[in-house]
Amino acid sequence: MKYTVLIPAYKPDDKLIVLIDNLLAHNLDIVVVNDGSAPEYETVFDEVRNRNVPLLVHAVNRGKGAALKTGIRHIMKDPEVAGIVTADADGQHTCEDIIRVMDELAKDDTALVLGVRRFGGKNVPIRSKIGNWTTIAVFYIVSGQKVTDTQTGLRGLPRSLFPKLAELEGDRYEYEMNMLLNVRNWHSHFVEIPIKTVYIDENKGSSYNTWRDTWLILRQILKYCASSLISTLVDYALYMTLCWLFPTISLFNNSPISTVAVWIIVSRAVASILNYSINRYAVFKGSSTASFLKFAALVCFGILVSASCVSGLVHLGVNEVLAKIMIDIPLFVLNYYIQNRFIFNKKTAK
């Protein structure tokens, strides 16, 4: 089996050449992408060319994600390549660790292999600790999956994922987070192997901007919750308005419990239509007739549970809004899991 090392490079120095020489000493195939580096860095890329290493060039800087996709699209044209190992150009990834990721990738042609660093050492820059701890926490909350190092650039990509990775959203560092978020939808899984934690001059050579790029990553994660939050606001606004304007309905013998249940059904139905539209076209992007039927069944289940439980709490003397909040929080978590796992999953939504 053939594997290729893909190195996106932006304003590299001699550490890129040292890495390439080490990889060539092990007879490894390499592709380098110059992501719009300034002309003064041409001397480094001339050394790449002198070693007969394929060099792809972006005329302007487009971001790490765009550089990775350019490399993946180029490499996937070779039918003999069974996988790609991505590595950074700044000297953080050793040749030995790259080979270890490659060996792990050869064991499982469906796994996304992550070379994970340890962030507890004193030599780890604080900005790297902040960025990784933040994204680990939010990633776990949103996906329910534990990843030790969400920002690692040392990854093994199996050929089975090439088409998806080549079209994956994101042009900068958020691309790598999107990769993690989509693994389950792609029916793949993570395999982690520990690697050396190397930071040169406190990682000052990295083009990762802690606040800007962490925000890009978090923005991509948080969009998975935005649809539910928007529909929840609509749901609550309509529910509170109806409860205020029409506290009782004579049709139901002025029973406040029945009235609450009716307004829950009305407000939830309106919010659910909005929620489905956003999820289908903007969040999960899983589009099918079956997804609508599954979503409708989930909504009916949610309405039944919410209406009965909230009505029961109101009957016990709990405020209408507080009762709805108490029931809707666990339903929110359950709904997200079911939608992401079974309704808008790209493989199951047929």
Side-chain angles (χ1 to χ4, degrees):
M1 291 183 290
K2 179 179 177 181
Y3 296 90
T4 299
V5 180
L6 172 60
I7 307 175
Y10 178 61
K11 297 182 178 181
D13 55 22
D14 290 340
K15 290 188 285 293
L16 171 60
I17 305 306
V18 172
L19 175 60
I20 288 175
D21 286 341
N22 288 336
L23 295 173
L24 290 176
H26 288 82
N27 298 315
L28 298 178
D29 292 308
I30 308 167
V31 170
V32 175
V33 180
N34 173 6
D35 185 30
S37 303
E40 55 263 35
Y41 294 91
E42 275 303 307
T43 55
V44 176
F45 291 112
D46 284 340
E47 292 297 320
V48 175
R49 295 185 183 93
N50 291 339
R51 286 159 174 74
N52 294 318
V53 171
L55 178 65
L56 310 177
V57 180
H58 287 171
V60 296
N61 177 245
R62 293 168 51 190
K64 185 178 183 182
L68 288 172
K69 285 186 280 189
T70 294
I72 292 170
R73 289 168 186 149
H74 172 82
I75 295 169
M76 66 188 292
K77 296 177 184 177
D78 185 347
E80 296 184 1
V81 175
I84 294 172
V85 176
T86 65
D88 293 343
D90 57 6
Q92 286 196 49
H93 302 138
T94 66
C95 180
E96 292 74 19
D97 283 335
I98 291 173
I99 293 174
R100 290 177 62 233
V101 170
M102 193 174 293
D103 290 341
E104 192 66 35
L105 185 59
K107 297 176 183 178
D108 188 343
D109 61 3
T110 65
L112 177 67
V113 181
L114 304 177
V116 298
R117 301 161 292 179
R118 295 181 176 88
F119 286 85
K122 295 181 179 179
N123 65 318
V124 181
I126 187 64
R127 66 172 183 157
S128 296
K129 291 182 179 180
I130 292 173
N132 197 64
W133 289 343
T134 302
T135 53
I136 283 176
V138 178
F139 181 79
Y140 178 73
I141 291 172
V142 171
S143 70
Q145 300 176 92
K146 292 183 179 180
V147 175
T148 306
D149 185 358
T150 60
Q151 299 175 29
T152 179
L154 182 55
R155 305 184 178 199
L157 314 177
R159 186 175 188 89
S160 60
L161 297 184
F162 285 1
K164 299 177 178 65
L165 291 167
E167 302 301 327
L168 184 63
E169 183 181 356
D171 284 342
R172 297 191 178 276
Y173 285 95
E174 75 274 18
Y175 173 80
E176 292 176 311
M177 179 57 72
N178 288 344
M179 194 184 297
L180 302 182
L181 286 169
N182 280 279
V183 162
R184 188 170 58 188
N185 286 341
W186 294 339
H187 286 204
S188 182
H189 58 281
F190 303 115
V191 172
E192 294 187 344
I193 63 171
I195 62 174
K196 294 179 181 178
T197 305
V198 180
Y199 287 105
I200 301 172
D201 194 20
E202 293 193 349
N203 208 26
K204 291 180 180 178
S206 174
S207 58
Y208 183 90
N209 181 293
T210 302
W211 306 114
R212 180 199 66 195
D213 292 308
T214 297
W215 164 243
L216 284 174
I217 293 170
L218 294 181
R219 185 180 65 181
Q220 291 301 110
I221 297 176
L222 294 175
K223 78 172 185 178
Y224 280 77
C225 293
S227 172
S228 294
L229 292 175
I230 292 172
S231 60
T232 297
L233 290 175
V234 172
D235 185 5
Y236 274 75
L238 185 56
Y239 172 74
M240 292 167 62
T241 300
L242 291 173
C243 285
W244 177 61
L245 292 177
F246 308 102
T248 59
I249 303 176
S250 59
L251 180 62
F252 294 93
N253 297 320
N254 295 322
S255 170
I257 297 177
S258 298
T259 301
V260 167
V262 170
W263 296 148
I264 284 177
I265 294 171
V266 172
S267 61
R268 183 62 61 83
V270 173
S272 296
I273 293 173
L274 175 63
N275 184 237
Y276 175 80
S277 299
I278 298 175
N279 284 350
R280 176 173 179 176
Y281 297 107
V283 180
F284 299 106
K285 298 181 180 178
S287 175
S288 69
T289 301
S291 70
F292 175 79
L293 297 176
K294 293 176 183 178
F295 187 86
L298 178 62
V299 169
C300 291
F301 169 77
I303 289 175
L304 178 63
V305 172
S306 182
S308 58
C309 292
V310 173
S311 296
L313 290 175
V314 170
H315 181 64
L316 294 175
V318 180
N319 174 269
E320 291 92 341
V321 176
L322 179 59
K324 186 169 170 58
I325 292 174
M326 292 171 61
I327 299 303
D328 281 355
I329 288 177
L331 281 179
F332 175 86
V333 177
L334 179 62
N335 282 340
Y336 175 81
Y337 176 79
I338 293 175
Q339 289 181 52
N340 189 36
R341 191 80 169 93
F342 301 107
I343 296 180
F344 294 104
N345 185 299
K346 292 178 177 60
K347 290 292 184 66
T348 60
K350 296 180 180 179

